Amino acid sequence: MLSYLNRPRKIRREAQNSGLLQVEYISGKVFFTTNAGLTMLKQLKSAERLFLLLKRQPPLIIPSGRKGKIFNEIQRLVTEDPMCWVHAISIWRSLLELEEKLPLEVSKPHKRTARENENIITKKLKIEQTLVMLGDTECQLEKQKNDKPQEHENLKTEKENFQEESENDGEKGADHQGQFTFRVSCRCSGTIAKTFTTEEVGRVIGIALIKQFGWKADLRNPKLEIFIHLNDIYSVVGIPVFRLPLASRAYIKVAGLRSTIAWTMASLAEINVGAVVLDPMCGLGTILLEAAKEWPNAYYLGADVSDSQLSGACDNLKSAGLVDRIELLKFSVTELPLLSKSVDVIISDIPFGKKFKLGKDIKSILHEMERVLCVGGTIVLLLSEELHRNLQGGKESNVLWNSSKANTDEFKIPKFVNDQENNGIQENVSSSSEDHRQECLDQEPIFGTLVQMESHKVSLGRTEAFILKYKKIHASGLQQPS
Ligand SMILES: C[S@@+](CC[C@H](N)C(=O)[O-])C[C@H]1O[C@@H](n2cnc3c(N)ncnc32)[C@H](O)[C@@H]1O
């Protein structure tokens, strides 16, 4: 999940280009409304998951020592508005049918075909405007905006409604005994996580749904999965639109870096037609795969010192049909067999875990990257928080990094609180290449001739990391130290 404080401008652009409306970025989730078809939504490369939004409300208030009361509050999240469920389940069913008709691997379709597909889907759904909540890359749909409130007494009970639908639906939502099966997936963080375990919350919600709708819990193979996310910022309930997360790419055989992060890094790198793109620590090749799929008209090179990683990368290239477009080399990042200034773009995930220790220090790595990069070229790196901190003025600052304003979080990374105040819609990077050029000139290089352009904090699940973007400027553009 690309869940975080800053969303690179490209991700915003992706949202705009995908026909998402009323886009709101809030703490790792993107809420939006859309008329876009499934084909278009399935191509959201920076998103982990897409959900129909059933409920979004402020965080639950947790009074100390009153567990029973809070359980009631939690249950109300799913019981308060039964008609919303009736509506959402019917949309979900339609989407399920449509998804079955989508090609398995959605490669970037020809424009006309995409539009045709969308028209068909839109017509079929007969939804004028469906309010969608996109979670971090979870996305969710909400009930139709213009729905008129309905009188409950005129309706069958929700239990009857669902049971009847299940009987009519057969395979679509019910198991062999005609019961609709479900599973609840919870994520709790912040205050609520200090009082309840996710299992407790899941159980409470599950019981409420069984009572309310007569569904049957099935943890192994449910027809419907319900996602609940409770934290100090919001409480949300959603249903996944697609069976598989958007982030799972059919063409990746052996998973390395999260594909959403790899795609985001590539999207920041400004890969032009004919560019030479290098990942000098390519591992299983995820960054190169994501880049080559999206920007096919460039030359891709990957290097790594590990035979097993290169062999995994090779398998991935074969399975993605990209063997002819990506070349793999066994070389160290500190001794690349490339001419100086021969590469336009470098994108790399710098190792920081236990598995891949940084043998040589970051200085030698940056030195070699700077050497092979052409003037005006771009480097996009994924760095651990620790490495990022060190580079930003910690231990290594005196040797390598000038403490320019460009390198501080304050300058490049707006505080989260600002993000919220502005509904998360905040440009933290300059908006044109002209601005970028000016910024380049204004800044002192952080290393040699490399100038930092952007910095984005991202979540890797358990840990957080930074995507840093640098540009190489001409040595003559450097200011002499005073
Ligand atoms: C974090 S992993 C990269 C993962 C990759 N992005 C993927 O999706 O699989 C870092 C990689 O750097 C490689 N590595 C470590 N030291 C290296 C060096 N000196 N030169 C080149 N590669 C190196 C490791 O073998 C490992 O594959």
Side-chain angles (χ1 to χ4, degrees), residues 256-257 279-287 303-306 309 331-334 349-352 356-357 359:
L257 176 67
D279 180 351
M281 306 178 96
C282 70
L284 300 167
T286 323
I287 295 172
D304 205 289
V305 283
S306 154
Q309 291 289 295
F331 275 100
S332 169
V333 62
T334 54
D349 163 15
I350 306 293
F352 53 86
F356 303 113
K357 280 250 157 60

Side-chain angles (χ1 to χ4, degrees), residues 247-431:
S248 67
R249 315 282 203 242
Y251 48 82
I252 293 184
K253 207 170 162 198
V254 203
L257 176 67
R258 280 172 183 240
S259 55
T260 48
I261 301 279
W263 182 90
T264 303
M265 291 172 73
S267 76
L268 285 168
E270 302 169 32
I271 300 172
N272 294 320
V273 173
V276 177
V277 181
L278 167 73
D279 180 351
M281 306 178 96
C282 70
L284 300 167
T286 323
I287 295 172
L288 296 168
L289 287 167
E290 288 297 304
K293 280 271 173 196
E294 188 83 25
W295 295 274
N297 300 316
Y299 304 99
Y300 291 95
L301 284 173
D304 205 289
V305 283
S306 154
D307 286 326
S308 64
Q309 291 289 295
L310 285 169
S311 144
C314 207
D315 289 345
N316 277 337
L317 299 199
K318 279 185 201 146
S319 112
L322 290 171
V323 176
D324 297 342
R325 303 237 311 277
I326 302 175
E327 198 172 332
L328 297 174
L329 311 163
K330 186 177 177 191
F331 275 100
S332 169
V333 62
T334 54
E335 289 167 332
L336 295 167
L338 299 169
L339 294 175
S340 298
K341 302 182 185 165
S342 58
V343 171
D344 300 293
V345 171
I346 296 175
I347 316 174
S348 203
D349 163 15
I350 306 293
F352 53 86
K354 282 185 192 143
K355 197 169 163 198
F356 303 113
K357 280 250 157 60
L358 204 58
K360 289 270 181 177
D361 66 343
I362 187 79
K363 277 185 255 177
S364 339
I365 292 177
L366 281 173
H367 239 302
E368 187 65 347
M369 287 184 179
E370 189 202 16
R371 181 186 72 78
V372 297
L373 191 70
C374 66
V375 174
T378 307
I379 299 183
V380 177
L381 300 180
L382 184 68
L383 297 171
S384 67
E385 278 194 297
E386 192 189 351
L387 195 48
H388 176 251
R389 213 175 23 249
N390 291 345
L391 297 181
Q392 295 288 49
K395 288 180 224 156
E396 301 192 23
S397 63
N398 293 337
V399 186
L400 270 178
W401 308 83
N402 296 319
S403 56
S404 90
K405 63 174 182 168
N407 300 328
T408 66
D409 282 5
E410 202 180 330
F411 180 70
K412 282 292 171 189
I413 305 175
K415 296 281 183 291
F416 181 47
V417 67
N418 292 341
D419 231 10
Q420 277 191 296
E421 277 167 10
N422 298 325
N423 274 340
I425 300 170
Q426 184 171 6
E427 281 299 334
N428 64 318
V429 289
S430 48
S431 55

Side-chain angles (χ1 to χ4, degrees), residues 402 440-445 473-482:
N402 296 319
C440 267
L441 293 174
D442 289 350
Q443 290 172 18
E444 291 173 44
I473 59 169
H474 204 282
S476 64
L478 290 177
Q479 288 166 2
Q480 294 304 312
S482 51

Side-chain angles (χ1 to χ4, degrees), residues 120-167:
I120 295 164
I121 290 166
T122 313
K123 268 185 213 152
K124 280 195 179 174
L125 276 174
K126 287 191 185 130
I127 295 167
E128 272 189 63
Q129 190 188 32
T130 307
L131 178 57
V132 177
M133 162 204 155
L134 203 176
D136 19 351
T137 2
E138 301 164 19
C139 160
Q140 318 165 358
L141 290 207
E142 213 175 49
K143 61 190 224 176
Q144 210 168 323
K145 246 195 153 185
N146 301 330
D147 264 2
K148 289 197 184 107
Q150 304 200 42
E151 298 296 327
H152 280 206
E153 51 268 35
N154 293 337
L155 299 166
K156 291 181 212 141
T157 66
E158 292 70 48
K159 210 166 180 166
E160 284 165 347
N161 250 324
F162 279 116
Q163 276 166 359
E164 201 171 272
E165 284 205 21
S166 301
E167 280 156 26

